[in-house]
Amino acid sequence: EAGVAQSPRYKIIEKRQSVAFWCNPISGHATLYWYQQILGQGPKLLIQFQNNGVVDDSQLPKDRFSAERLKGVDSTLKIQPAKLEDSAVYLCASSLLAGGLQETQYFGPGTRLLVL
Amino acid sequence: AQSVTQLDSQVPVFEEAPVELRCNYSSSVSVYLFWYVQYPNQGLQLLLKYLSGSTLVESINGFEAEFNKSQTSFHLRKPSVHISDTAEYFCAVSGFNDMRFGAGTRLTVKP
């Protein structure tokens, strides 16, 4: 079965520009997660969707970050405007059931963002 | 909210030696515990997890971890490592709608 797909794999932008990342989860997976991984740190959960509804976005900086999961399948994470501290790898993951955080998550390869 | 501390950022070890990667957590609620691994140039993948029941959990490639509630630890062990175990290992804890990862431990297995 195909894994979690993410694009682009790399992105370089200047501060104050906008950027969007796309994620296509494993087919049939109900839950989708976006993480931010800053160099030298573990992944930080930004937002969790179950189908097309938001379960938790408490750590999403809502003044500049937004995410949507239209039709409960693929998802887009946007940053507008970007800051230098947004430089990180953005990981998308999915899990089969809408059963909560005990489910095994399957991660994509990530998008590496550099903000200059 | 939960928090996770991985006590070693890097662990170098020779092939066939035993290894322990340490993980401590804090939480005010019941938790689920995970170890994820990231091999070079690959995405994160689940190694093993503790949800309930037996406190000792095992992976298919010889790793094991023991949930110790009194010490709030979930250390990962392997009695004999291989070159192919070289990777970054992340401990994670989840509670209700909150998942936290540790900063990771880079395991380097030398011949």
Side-chain angles (χ1 to χ4, degrees):
Chain A
E1 100 190 323
V4 176
Q6 291 188 248
S7 67
R9 293 296 308 276
Y10 306 92
K11 190 75 176 179
I12 300 175
I13 62 172
E14 295 188 350
K15 59 183 179 183
R16 291 188 289 272
Q17 286 187 322
S18 301
V19 64
F21 313 126
W22 175 80
C23 171
N24 194 19
I26 294 173
S27 178
H29 277 201
T31 307
L32 185 147
Y33 314 80
W34 282 103
Y35 289 87
Q36 178 194 57
Q37 187 176 15
I38 294 172
L39 187 64
Q41 300 180 20
K44 171 186 169 184
L45 180 63
L46 294 176
I47 188 167
Q48 178 188 353
F49 293 94
Q50 281 185 5
N51 299 307
N52 60 351
V54 175
V55 173
D56 179 60
D57 63 357
S58 56
Q59 296 197 87
L60 187 74
K62 299 181 187 63
D63 57 334
R64 298 184 299 108
F65 286 64
S66 64
E68 59 183 10
R69 190 185 184 196
L70 299 176
K71 301 181 181 179
V73 182
D74 58 348
S75 176
T76 303
L77 177 69
K78 296 179 182 177
I79 308 176
Q80 181 179 10
K83 293 185 175 181
L84 297 177
E85 58 261 36
D86 298 331
S87 294
V89 176
Y90 290 85
L91 299 169
C92 180
S94 68
S95 60
L96 177 62
L97 301 176
L101 288 164
Q102 74 271 27
E103 300 295 326
T104 297
Q105 296 182 34
Y106 298 84
F107 284 81
T111 295
R112 189 175 298 273
L113 173 68
L114 179 60
V115 182
L116 301 175
Chain B
Q2 291 74 236
S3 67
V4 181
T5 302
Q6 290 186 244
L7 297 160
D8 306 292
S9 60
Q10 297 187 60
V11 173
V13 65
F14 286 105
E15 194 173 18
E16 298 182 6
V19 71
E20 179 180 76
L21 306 184
R22 296 178 294 169
C23 172
N24 285 92
Y25 70 93
S26 66
S27 177
S28 57
V29 299
S30 296
V31 297
Y32 306 117
L33 295 158
F34 307 81
W35 277 98
Y36 279 85
V37 59
Q38 186 169 28
Y39 297 105
N41 301 314
Q42 296 186 28
L44 280 157
Q45 54 188 281
L46 180 71
L47 186 61
L48 48 77
K49 64 181 177 182
Y50 169 79
L51 301 182
S52 64
S54 173
T55 57
L56 186 65
V57 290
E58 299 176 353
S59 72
I60 58 172
N61 59 349
F63 282 93
E64 63 179 31
E66 186 162 19
F67 169 53
N68 188 321
K69 189 174 182 180
S70 63
Q71 296 187 7
T72 60
S73 68
F74 192 56
H75 301 332
L76 182 70
R77 302 182 182 95
K78 189 171 185 179
S80 175
V81 294
H82 303 289
I83 297 288
S84 59
D85 293 324
T86 293
E88 184 134 24
Y89 293 78
F90 293 91
C91 182
V93 57
S94 73
F96 181 74
N97 277 347
D98 186 19
M99 185 149 188
R100 305 286 172 134
F101 281 79
T105 296
R106 184 170 298 277
L107 174 66
T108 303
V109 181
K110 300 180 285 187

